[in-house]
Amino acid sequence: MNHHQAHQALRHADGWRKSSQSQGSDNCVEITTAIPGWVGVRDSKLAPHSPTLAFTHDEWRALLAAARTGEFDV
């Protein structure tokens, strides 16, 4: 499955769950791993109509590692 196909499949996937880091906040993301080999990410406030991002497992691990080391200015 290529990136475009995964993106389309993730938009309609089940199994979305809020980040464990949200702690009841409205400002959080939801993820799903319902499509094998892919991680979908969307804004929980706009779900299910939020734009969806699609990451391979390697891309997802790299994103999390970068976030943990403070690579992003948020």
Side-chain angles (χ1 to χ4, degrees), residues 23-61:
Q23 301 174 4
S25 171
D26 288 337
N27 299 322
C28 65
V29 297
E30 294 179 334
I31 67 164
T32 186
T33 55
I35 307 301
W38 295 87
V39 177
V41 181
R42 68 183 182 189
D43 185 333
S44 66
K45 291 185 301 294
L46 303 174
H49 305 291
S50 173
T52 303
L53 301 174
F55 297 92
T56 65
H57 284 246
D58 286 342
E59 291 168 337
W60 183 244
R61 283 189 288 273

